[in-house]
Amino acid sequence: MTQKDTAWVEYAKAIGIMLVVYGHVARGIYHSGIDLPVPFYKLADSLVYSFHMPLFFFLSGLFFVTSLQKRGPKKLVFSKIDTIFYPYLLWSMLQGSLEVLLPSYTNGSPSFTDVLSLLWAPRAHFWFLYALLLIFALSTLAYRLLPQRFSAVFGIFSIIMYLTSSMISDDIIINYITENTAFFALGIIFFTAYKNAVA
């Protein structure tokens, strides 16, 4: 994809970011007890939360194969530790600590134990970074095992995981993978189809 071809990706990211901000602000206002038109709030909340996170996973999958082929598995994983895990660690600790120290100014009241459990129990909206890092690692492993048929096999496997996620496990970390990998894989499939179409 050329820079002109990917301009829509930046617009999609901007829309997704605005929806994230709206969703969190609206939920914060609602849970603080401020009066809102409840039917409108529930409809908007349902629409936003059914769309904006799948969009981010889809956009993250678009350039996965290109990045992997350019950097190689090891460099790609280490780059994601720098760009995903480090921000996850930093901001989880900062926000969590503020929530512990200033509970009367926030909607949550975690303990420091909750904050320090971030390696196996991600909190609040930081679950996205946690899940994305796991999905990048899983996708990289799958690509190394099946480089020739990766898009098709990984796409089918991830959709099966998504459709059967409620039967696979109740573990929250496994759920992050089973419920979101399909959208990441759709990004990979979309990019692969586009590349083949213009080749």
Side-chain angles (χ1 to χ4, degrees):
M1 286 188 182
T2 65
Q3 187 172 3
K4 183 178 179 181
D5 292 333
T6 59
W8 67 270
V9 176
E10 300 306 316
Y11 290 117
K13 287 179 182 178
I15 291 169
I17 290 168
M18 287 188 287
L19 290 175
V20 168
V21 172
Y22 167 80
H24 284 285
V25 169
R27 283 191 172 185
I29 291 172
Y30 180 76
H31 291 298
S32 68
I34 296 174
D35 189 31
L36 286 175
V38 175
F40 172 78
Y41 162 76
K42 289 188 175 180
L43 176 62
D45 187 76
S46 177
L47 290 173
V48 167
Y49 277 87
S50 67
F51 172 75
H52 70 325
M53 298 318 295
L55 172 64
F56 280 119
F57 282 107
F58 173 83
L59 295 174
S60 298
L62 281 176
F63 306 107
F64 169 75
V65 173
T66 302
S67 296
L68 185 60
Q69 291 172 343
K70 182 179 179 180
R71 300 182 183 184
K74 187 180 291 186
K75 286 186 177 179
L76 179 64
V77 170
F78 275 108
S79 74
K80 297 309 171 186
I81 290 174
D82 186 47
T83 59
I84 298 177
F85 181 71
Y86 175 68
Y88 167 75
L89 190 67
L90 175 65
W91 290 106
S92 294
M93 290 293 294
L94 282 174
Q95 179 176 309
S97 298
L98 287 174
E99 287 179 304
V100 172
L101 297 171
L102 304 168
S104 60
Y105 294 95
T106 66
N107 291 327
S109 54
S111 65
F112 272 117
T113 301
D114 295 327
V115 175
L116 295 174
S117 300
L118 54 83
L119 292 181
W120 58 88
R123 294 190 60 259
H125 45 279
F126 299 116
W127 72 267
F128 170 74
L129 295 175
Y130 188 93
L132 186 60
L133 184 62
L134 292 177
I135 291 170
F136 260 106
L138 175 66
S139 303
T140 301
L141 176 61
Y143 186 87
R144 292 197 69 179
L145 294 174
L146 292 165
Q148 300 303 319
R149 302 176 182 271
F150 170 72
S151 296
V153 174
F154 188 66
I156 293 169
F157 179 69
S158 65
I159 290 170
I160 291 172
M161 281 199 304
Y162 178 78
L163 295 174
T164 60
S165 59
S166 61
M167 297 180 285
I168 293 174
S169 174
D170 290 330
D171 182 80
I172 190 170
I173 295 176
I174 294 176
N175 286 344
Y176 287 149
I177 295 172
T178 59
E179 293 175 3
N180 297 292
T181 304
F183 303 109
F184 187 88
L186 287 174
I188 294 171
I189 292 168
F190 179 88
F191 177 81
T192 302
Y194 174 85
K195 190 170 69 171
N196 291 338
V198 298

